[in-house]
Amino acid sequence: MKQITFLHTADLHLDSPMVGLSKLPEKIYKRLLNSTFVALKRLVDAAIEKQVDFVIIAGDVYDGEDRSIRAQVKFRHEMERLAVHGIQVYLTHGNHDHLSGSWIHIPLPDNVFVFGGAVEHCIFTKENVTVNLYGFSYPRRQVFERKIDEFKKGANADFHIGILHGNEGGNSSHDNYAPFHVKDLIEKQFDYWALGHIHKRKILNDNPPIIYPGNIQGRHHKELGPKGCYIVTLSDSNCHLDWINTADVEWDSIEIDVQNLTSFQTIYHLCLEQLNISRNEQVNGKIVNLMLHNLKPFEGSVSILNGELLEILQENESEEENFVWVSSIRVEEEIQYDREFLKSEDGFVTELLNTIENYEQSNEALDPLFHHHQARKHISNLSDEDKEKLVAEAERILLQLLM
């Protein structure tokens, strides 16, 4: 039986600036700034430990088109570690680190093959196994054409692997670069598709495997949970996947129902209990958004609303190796109101609810953010679902204040 083992990763975003997080404690902030490099080292450790035949990196090795010297030096060092163990690397550059960027060039070791700006294929061989790998690097930041149409299956190989940094199915949550549909990939009759661009781990198809591994380190609260890569064992008959968690700092959201609690102390201890459960689930640092549902007004509840609970939960966490840092606490107070009844009444609240239901100016309201010369570099377009959630949350806050 012919078989190969490789590591599939994507979206390393080395040296990500972690925009908007500088108010974290200095120790946690520095660890977060270094987290992409720790994740890269863990990735390489896993490749060496599992004795993989090669590594695939499906785009966005670097976070920016300038490819910082620090990121290049650290990346080269890790590639050299793989070279010592005879492990080849096949990588493409994506929209973040496209080929038209301007950077000080630091050459990579000979075990690294970088795909060019047009779809091409290279060959990996070991003993009696031959693998054709197909891919391309982004020649510029925005690639809207269907590059999938340029993938052509070659001959004389035991396995065919496609590498594609692109957007599946017109996913409106992400820039629609190098778009494709799953059926397009299946029609190519490849044995495996190594995808990149989407930062959430997704298996789009089992046979053949079409897989987004997600990014290797979360960078904000929309990139929740474990992050990492896949160790793939591909044979004539099947494909086996092993997930490797590489993140040094994880992001999480914890929701707690405090409906039956009527003292600051009981709410504090319940929060502490939930945070310690979260701490015991992992050995890395964790940054958490805490949501308290159904808070009833009681003597001392103002201490939760004015930030005292947050301050107490944050105490000493920055000194912990596996810290659980609560970055924010959102409170949903238990308010009883009948929305339909409010709409039936005359007055300001009725007019407000009718305005919200017919609100269509989301794009205009967000324009200043998306056109800001700094902010626009670090945000992606919001989906219709995201906009609906923002409007619904605005309604909840307004009614909470009014009631």
Side-chain angles (χ1 to χ4, degrees), residues 13 24 28 35 45 59 62 73-74 102 120 141 144 190 201 212 217 225 232 243 247 266 290 295 318 333 370 387 397:
H13 288 276
L24 288 169
I28 293 178
S35 60
D45 288 344
Y62 304 104
V73 169
K74 287 183 176 291
S102 177
E120 60 182 318
R141 181 174 180 83
F144 293 116
F190 286 9
R201 179 169 36 135
Y212 283 114
Q217 168 62 54
V232 183
W243 170 252
T266 53
L290 200 58
L295 175 67
S318 62
E333 295 179 89
F370 283 96
K387 293 173 185 176
I397 292 172

Side-chain angles (χ1 to χ4, degrees), residues 171-232:
N171 186 340
S172 61
S173 300
H174 297 80
D175 293 316
N176 201 30
Y177 297 148
F180 66 91
H181 293 280
V182 170
K183 65 179 180 62
D184 299 326
L185 275 55
I186 294 174
E187 288 172 359
K188 297 295 179 180
Q189 298 184 345
F190 286 9
D191 300 289
Y192 186 93
W193 279 97
L195 304 181
H197 185 51
I198 306 301
H199 290 187
K200 185 176 181 179
R201 179 169 36 135
K202 295 174 71 174
I203 297 177
L204 301 182
N205 195 65
D206 292 316
N207 187 24
I210 302 175
I211 295 173
Y212 283 114
N215 53 343
I216 62 172
Q217 168 62 54
R219 301 174 299 156
H220 47 71
H221 273 293
K222 292 187 75 173
E223 297 181 348
L224 298 175
K227 296 291 181 178
C229 61
Y230 280 107
I231 302 289
V232 183

Side-chain angles (χ1 to χ4, degrees), residues 92-218:
T92 67
H93 291 295
N95 52 293
H96 276 262
D97 57 355
H98 57 89
L99 300 180
S100 295
S102 177
W103 65 90
I104 296 174
H105 183 69
I106 296 177
L108 293 170
D110 292 340
N111 65 316
V112 180
F113 179 89
V114 180
F115 286 86
V119 176
E120 60 182 318
H121 89 273
C122 61
I123 301 172
F124 169 85
T125 59
K126 75 161 192 176
E127 300 170 356
N128 65 333
V129 178
T130 302
V131 183
N132 278 357
L133 297 104
Y134 310 77
F136 73 98
S137 291
Y138 277 47
R140 57 192 180 281
R141 181 174 180 83
Q142 296 180 324
V143 175
F144 293 116
E145 58 263 41
R146 280 174 45 88
K147 300 293 288 187
I148 182 60
D149 295 333
E150 300 175 24
F151 283 74
K152 308 297 181 183
K153 187 175 182 180
N156 303 322
D158 299 297
F159 300 102
H160 299 266
I161 298 176
I163 306 170
L164 178 59
H165 189 88
N167 192 39
E168 179 265 332
N171 186 340
S172 61
S173 300
H174 297 80
D175 293 316
N176 201 30
Y177 297 148
F180 66 91
H181 293 280
V182 170
K183 65 179 180 62
D184 299 326
L185 275 55
I186 294 174
E187 288 172 359
K188 297 295 179 180
Q189 298 184 345
F190 286 9
D191 300 289
Y192 186 93
W193 279 97
L195 304 181
H197 185 51
I198 306 301
H199 290 187
K200 185 176 181 179
R201 179 169 36 135
K202 295 174 71 174
I203 297 177
L204 301 182
N205 195 65
D206 292 316
N207 187 24
I210 302 175
I211 295 173
Y212 283 114
N215 53 343
I216 62 172
Q217 168 62 54

Side-chain angles (χ1 to χ4, degrees), residues 243-254:
W243 170 252
I244 305 293
N245 185 3
T246 59
D248 186 43
V249 179
E250 290 184 17
W251 298 81
D252 200 1
S253 179
I254 297 177

Side-chain angles (χ1 to χ4, degrees), residues 275-326:
L275 293 175
N276 283 326
I277 290 173
S278 178
R279 187 194 316 277
N280 292 335
E281 289 175 350
Q282 44 85 51
V283 295
N284 304 327
K286 186 172 282 192
I287 301 175
V288 172
N289 276 340
L290 200 58
M291 179 68 178
L292 304 183
H293 290 285
N294 302 317
L295 175 67
K296 294 179 179 178
F298 61 83
E299 184 178 357
S301 62
V302 68
S303 298
I304 296 173
L305 299 174
N306 69 12
E308 289 184 55
L309 176 61
L310 178 63
E311 290 178 6
I312 294 173
L313 292 174
Q314 288 177 342
E315 283 184 359
N316 303 317
E317 280 297 330
S318 62
E319 302 304 314
E320 297 284 343
E321 184 68 19
N322 61 331
F323 60 83
V324 180
W325 179 264
V326 181

